[in-house]
Amino acid sequence: GDLDYYQPARSDDLALVIGALSAVAAYLAHSIVDFNLHIPGNALIFAFIFALLASPRTRSAAPPALCETAWRLALPALAVWMAVSGLAKFPGEFLWEKARVALRDGRYTASVAHAERATSIHPRNAELWFHLGEAHRALGIVALLRDERTAHFTSAVTAYDHSLGVFPFDEHVLVRRA
């Protein structure tokens, strides 16, 4: 009743509500056989969808209150904080990924080199230490000389110990170390 006769035709509110309700219905149907909000990306998407459903539909010409302005700035501030904290870890994660791919492809020496550089940047990554141990273990398996084989196996055990220092109950590391 408070809208002019031409405004509902140009409003996208109805389309957003129909789309959001359809997404919620699809999520509820999918949740009968599976659970998927444990994945952070899905939880973030549905937080956005529920925010669309909860948002007010009327628009006021009055300037926003100070509290409302603060809430509007909270999301961009959170995004900046997440970007800064994530970008600080990017070099270590990038090198870890290169080490993992090199290990997968059988390039064990390259995997060790990337993983050792990554451990100097991000030493509290248990998976990184595990992959470094795996690369040393693989080099020990293919080594021809006994001393070289012993050195790689010793380095693998040291890397596994570092991984267990970060995450002591990792079964894969415990089995490999044994």
Side-chain angles (χ1 to χ4, degrees), residues 4-18:
D4 292 333
Y5 70 92
Y6 60 87
Q7 284 181 324
R10 293 192 296 171
S11 175
D12 57 355
D13 289 343
L14 181 61
L16 287 174
V17 169
I18 290 172

Side-chain angles (χ1 to χ4, degrees), residues 10-65:
R10 293 192 296 171
S11 175
D12 57 355
D13 289 343
L14 181 61
L16 287 174
V17 169
I18 290 172
L21 287 175
S22 299
V24 170
Y27 167 71
L28 290 175
H30 186 265
S31 293
I32 292 172
V33 295
D34 195 8
F35 58 97
N36 59 3
L37 284 185
H38 68 283
I39 300 170
N42 291 345
L44 187 62
I45 289 171
F46 274 95
F48 177 76
I49 290 170
F50 286 125
L52 283 177
L53 289 173
S55 68
R57 298 289 173 232
T58 59
R59 288 169 178 83
S60 171

Side-chain angles (χ1 to χ4, degrees), residues 11 19 21-22 25-26 46 52 60 66 69 71 86 99-100 110 118 145 151 156 160 165-166 173:
S11 175
L21 287 175
S22 299
F46 274 95
L52 283 177
S60 171
L66 181 62
T69 303
W71 281 110
R100 187 193 65 78
L145 301 175
Y160 293 145
V166 176
V173 179

Side-chain angles (χ1 to χ4, degrees), residues 72-146:
R72 285 184 180 178
L73 294 176
L75 189 59
L78 178 64
V80 168
W81 174 72
M82 289 176 67
V84 168
S85 66
L87 287 175
K89 296 177 181 163
F90 180 76
E93 292 294 323
F94 180 73
L95 288 170
W96 174 75
E97 181 64 18
K98 287 179 81 168
R100 187 193 65 78
V101 169
L103 178 66
R104 179 199 66 193
D105 294 342
R107 297 180 290 118
Y108 307 125
T109 306
S111 179
V112 167
H114 292 308
E116 285 176 347
R117 284 181 51 209
T119 56
S120 66
I121 297 170
H122 193 56
R124 299 285 303 162
N125 187 341
E127 288 289 319
L128 172 59
W129 287 107
F130 174 71
H131 281 85
L132 178 60
E134 287 292 288
H136 275 297
R137 187 179 70 84
L139 284 171
I141 290 171
V142 299
L144 298 176
L145 301 175
R146 180 182 175 97

